[in-house]
Amino acid sequence: MRALVTGVTGQDGSYLAELLLSKGYEVHGIIRRASSFNTTRLDHVYEDPHKPGTRLFLHYGDLSSGEQLTNLIYNIRPRKSTILEHRAM
């Protein structure tokens, strides 16, 4: 199962990512390129994406760009049981 979470570095998004990881999901999080790469809330679950078995992946994205979002969703290849969750405010 896969989940796509926007605002994954924020409070709600990071809690949701942690919960989904604990339930066995592969979690893809969108972060803004304009903001600093602040993963403090995810440091305890973040691993090198090239390491086998990694289930948390961070992607740069802009919610105001439909094309970018479409490309992300296409590249993540969501399955039937995918969760798309918007957690940015």
Side-chain angles (χ1 to χ4, degrees):
M1 295 179 285
R2 291 183 181 161
L4 176 61
V5 180
T6 62
V8 73
T9 57
Q11 180 178 340
D12 292 348
S14 62
Y15 286 145
L16 179 61
E18 189 173 346
L19 174 70
L20 292 170
L21 287 167
S22 74
K23 294 186 178 288
Y25 280 78
E26 178 180 300
V27 177
H28 293 263
I30 299 177
I31 58 175
R32 291 179 294 181
R33 188 174 296 278
S35 61
S36 62
F37 193 78
N38 182 4
T39 60
T40 304
R41 292 187 177 104
L42 295 171
D43 282 347
H44 62 288
V45 292
Y46 185 75
E47 296 179 352
D48 182 342
H50 301 99
K51 181 180 173 185
T54 298
R55 293 183 297 124
L56 176 61
F57 301 91
L58 301 178
H59 308 274
Y60 286 112
D62 183 349
L63 295 181
S64 66
S65 171
E67 183 179 355
Q68 245 184 24
L69 289 175
T70 300
N71 287 337
L72 272 174
I73 292 169
Y74 178 79
N75 289 326
I76 292 170
R77 303 260 188 225
R79 298 179 185 133
K80 188 176 183 180
S81 58
T82 297
I83 294 174
L84 299 174
E85 182 73 27
H86 176 64
R87 285 301 197 179
M89 297 208 106

